[in-house]
Amino acid sequence: MRLQRLAETDRPALSFMLDGAPAAALEGDTLLTAILAQDGHLRASEFGDGLRAGFCLMGACQDCWVNVEGLGRVRACTTEITEGLRVSRRMVQP
Amino acid sequence: MSVVIVGAGPAGTRAAEVLAGAGLRPIVIDEAPDSGGRIYQRQPAGFHRTARDLYGFEAAKAQAVHDVFDHLRPSIDFRPRTLAWNLRSGVIDTICDGKASAVPFEQTILCTGAMDRVIPLPGWTLPGVFTLGGSQISLKAQGCAIGARVAFLGTGPLLYLVAYQYARAGAQVVAVLDTTPFATKARQAFGLMRGRATFAKGLYYIARLRAHGIPIAEGVTPLMIAGSGRVESLSWHDARGARHEAAVDAVALGWGLKPEAQLADLAGVPFDFDSVQHNWVPRQDATGRTSVEGVFLAGDGSGIRGADLAEAAGARAAWAVLAARGLAVDTHAVARLDATLAAGATFRAALERAFPFPAKLAADMADDTILCRCEAITAGEVRAAANEASATLPPPEVNRAKALTRVGMGRCQGRVCGAAAAEVLASMLSCPVEQVGRLRGQPPVKPIPILPAEAA
């Protein structure tokens, strides 16, 4: 699964770091959109049952946590991406 | 002292309008960066689709709610990006950009909205499975479909609406699978006619989906979502019991909505099980007033009634607040609101009966299906704990099941699994679902950073 951009694709591009590798996004993307538009997961379940990619997209389920350098753990669905953000999908501790 | 409105959706907006009209300056708190709530969520700056593109038939209503709020900005104390994480006597605890604040109130109107009601099925934690509401937000607020080949599964008006919106935006909709049989809906035809416009829109969405050649199946039983590290297929039984499987990379699912009523719970408002909605609903009178001094409710957080009635209920609760403060009340306006709310209730009940929550689907979930996605707890673990506990202890209820298995103890606090967990437990105990109770709310209602508080 990758999110499919169907509209609003003429926004300015920006770059960020995803797990140490350069990645591209668009201004106004949430972290969730920016990540899932290129690679279909956000985190691994702490209980060993596999990868997760969020669920509710409205800040309720808390299943889209990622690490951002300087910010710590954030909800990807309610955090806007900004230029140069360094995002890590390594195990996020509760 | 202030009136505090929590939630800047349709209910909160109309409540603020009435209060500001009476010369008050309410504090309006919302976790989102802007007003509109989920139903009329605004797209970020730099996006330029029209209201018609975003909200379809509801464009005029959405625009009106946004316009009202924008005009109110100078006369209210709007606090966006602010989570109300606790409610104690006369105080709402908030956090904004990591900064905590205790907001005292004389009256509060809780307009905290709703979220999707979910039934876990095998594979539902795979990347690519989202709620119906989440799928709609992805399209509305980000211009994205949740996948390249999307199936829609569940029941309720949102199922057809979001599928239609996806098809219209150019997404590939593989199938729309409704767990409610046609006959169940047909029985409510008379009641549904009362909501003429809403009913007509529903028929339009279905007709457009069919015109797009999208298969729609009613009375289905979902079997599983399968894939390795991502969604690869969805399988189901049709109404006749024949097995089907579709190759998809994303599934949007949801079975109606449930109130986000955690703050009302923390306030001490009693809850009742509404057997028509099949939801626990905080108790309020027709004006939105609760038995807790100063606490009023409106919108879907007070029981699912939809956006139109949320607007009316928000305004109505604000008049009740004005009455409580001894201020003048426009009895004509109140009478109109009361009539709107009463008329809407009949249609709403028909809608709930037309798309009932398939409790049996939840109750019959396989033992190895993950029930609680936060803590990866299976239905079988809950059943085993219920069995063990019932041998030595009084019959368990959901909070006891939580203590024994951690189901509902994860970081979503049972928002996602609570409804289904109660069905699993009730079925084990052969009792009506309301007898196993509901998960009690706990502060903070959402995770907040634990850091030493800075001196104010």
Side-chain angles (χ1 to χ4, degrees):
Chain A
M1 174 274 309
R2 281 190 307 162
L3 296 190
Q4 304 291 309
R5 296 188 186 274
L6 299 179
E8 308 282 0
T9 49
D10 53 351
R11 286 171 282 143
L14 54 78
S15 54
F16 70 107
M17 296 294 280
L18 180 60
D19 297 335
L26 299 178
E27 260 182 43
D29 278 357
T30 63
L31 268 178
L32 183 141
T33 298
I35 297 169
L36 294 185
Q38 50 205 307
D39 187 20
H41 77 277
L42 296 173
R43 55 185 286 269
S45 163
E46 302 87 329
F47 300 92
D49 58 299
L51 299 174
R52 299 286 177 90
F55 184 56
C56 79
L57 271 58
M58 57 179 86
C61 79
Q62 319 297 330
D63 208 356
C64 64
W65 288 0
V66 294
N67 275 311
V68 174
E69 201 174 282
L71 292 176
R73 179 196 85 197
V74 301
R75 268 194 325 236
C77 77
T78 53
T79 306
E80 198 178 317
I81 190 107
T82 49
E83 177 67 38
L85 218 59
R86 303 174 74 86
V87 186
S88 159
R89 297 181 293 182
R90 279 189 302 277
M91 170 94 66
V92 177
Q93 294 300 336
Chain B
M1 239 195 321
S2 298
V3 183
V4 177
I5 298 170
V6 182
T13 297
R14 294 299 181 183
E17 183 184 28
V18 170
L19 296 175
L24 301 181
R25 185 180 170 80
I27 295 170
V28 182
I29 296 169
D30 200 295
E31 202 182 354
D34 207 344
S35 79
R38 292 307 172 188
I39 183 87
Y40 301 140
Q41 181 162 343
R42 304 194 199 205
Q43 54 189 355
F47 286 60
H48 33 65
R49 284 167 296 171
T50 63
R52 177 79 199 177
D53 283 339
L54 291 174
Y55 311 112
F57 288 125
E58 317 307 323
K61 287 178 200 162
Q63 196 67 61
V65 167
H66 293 166
D67 288 348
V68 163
F69 197 89
D70 290 341
H71 282 115
L72 283 171
R73 283 177 206 267
S75 13
I76 63 176
D77 178 354
F78 182 38
R79 304 184 184 179
R81 299 188 325 280
T82 302
L83 170 68
W85 61 267
N86 189 20
L87 194 157
R88 40 204 172 98
S89 183
V91 178
I92 292 173
D93 292 302
T94 69
I95 188 163
C96 174
D97 297 335
K99 199 165 176 295
S101 180
V103 184
F105 67 86
E106 193 171 353
Q107 288 90 19
T108 183
I109 308 177
L110 302 176
C111 309
T112 42
M115 72 172 290
D116 295 87
R117 190 167 48 183
V118 167
I119 299 177
L121 68 153
W124 74 298
T125 57
L126 284 170
V129 183
F130 298 94
T131 61
L132 282 172
S135 310
Q136 191 187 41
I137 287 167
S138 180
L139 185 61
K140 204 157 47 179
Q142 296 281 281
C144 289
I146 57 168
R149 292 174 52 80
V150 186
F152 290 83
L153 167 67
T155 203
L158 199 58
L159 177 70
Y160 295 96
L161 171 62
V162 184
Y164 159 76
Q165 289 171 329
Y166 265 58
R168 186 166 175 268
Q172 193 184 350
V173 179
V174 175
V176 179
L177 306 172
D178 188 342
T179 54
T180 307
F182 172 75
T184 305
K185 291 168 226 170
R187 276 197 290 278
Q188 299 304 323
F190 185 73
L192 291 173
M193 300 283 238
R194 290 190 162 229
R196 284 173 207 90
T198 308
F199 187 48
K201 278 179 265 182
L203 295 177
Y204 174 84
Y205 301 142
I206 292 168
R208 293 308 303 165
L209 286 165
R210 291 201 196 280
H212 274 95
I214 294 162
I216 300 176
E218 296 171 284
V220 307
T221 305
L223 297 174
M224 69 185 300
I225 300 164
S228 174
R230 61 196 167 95
V231 173
E232 291 170 25
S233 70
L234 169 68
S235 54
W236 69 95
H237 278 154
D238 67 22
R240 289 191 203 86
R243 190 178 188 281
H244 299 262
E245 185 172 320
V248 295
D249 68 346
V251 178
L253 51 77
W255 283 265
L257 301 174
K258 55 194 275 290
E260 278 280 281
Q262 293 83 8
L263 290 177
D265 195 5
L266 296 183
V269 176
F271 281 60
D272 300 303
F273 189 76
D274 180 326
S275 57
V276 176
Q277 284 185 26
H278 208 81
N279 272 328
W280 286 95
V281 171
R283 193 183 302 162
Q284 76 230 243
D285 69 14
T287 74
R289 180 194 278 269
T290 72
S291 58
V292 179
E293 183 70 33
V295 176
F296 298 74
L297 310 174
D300 278 353
S302 69
I304 306 302
R305 287 186 286 182
D308 294 355
L309 294 188
E311 286 189 50
R316 185 64 189 88
W319 287 114
V321 165
L322 293 177
R325 293 173 78 95
L327 296 169
V329 169
D330 178 343
T331 50
H332 293 293
V334 165
R336 275 197 304 276
L337 291 168
D338 286 341
T340 302
L341 290 166
T346 313
F347 170 67
R348 193 67 219 181
L351 199 58
E352 294 290 347
R353 289 195 182 94
F355 297 102
F357 180 69
K360 194 173 180 313
L361 187 61
D364 292 351
M365 148 184 355
D367 273 343
D368 58 359
T369 300
I370 289 181
L371 173 53
C372 161
R373 63 186 289 135
C374 291
E375 307 258 322
I377 293 159
T378 64
E381 288 176 76
V382 172
R383 292 189 179 110
N387 253 341
E388 214 169 293
S390 61
T392 54
L393 295 163
E397 45 79 63
V398 283
N399 294 287
R400 174 131 197 92
K402 172 179 168 180
L404 292 169
T405 66
R406 296 186 62 79
V407 73
M409 202 183 277
R411 53 176 80 110
C412 89
Q413 299 196 352
R415 280 175 175 81
V416 178
C417 72
E423 299 295 346
V424 168
L425 200 56
S427 157
M428 274 294 291
L429 302 167
S430 309
C431 70
V433 71
E434 54 267 39
Q435 271 181 31
V436 302
R438 62 187 182 85
L439 289 167
R440 285 185 295 267
Q442 305 286 347
V445 300
K446 289 184 183 178
I448 54 173
I450 300 176
L451 292 169
E454 283 178 45

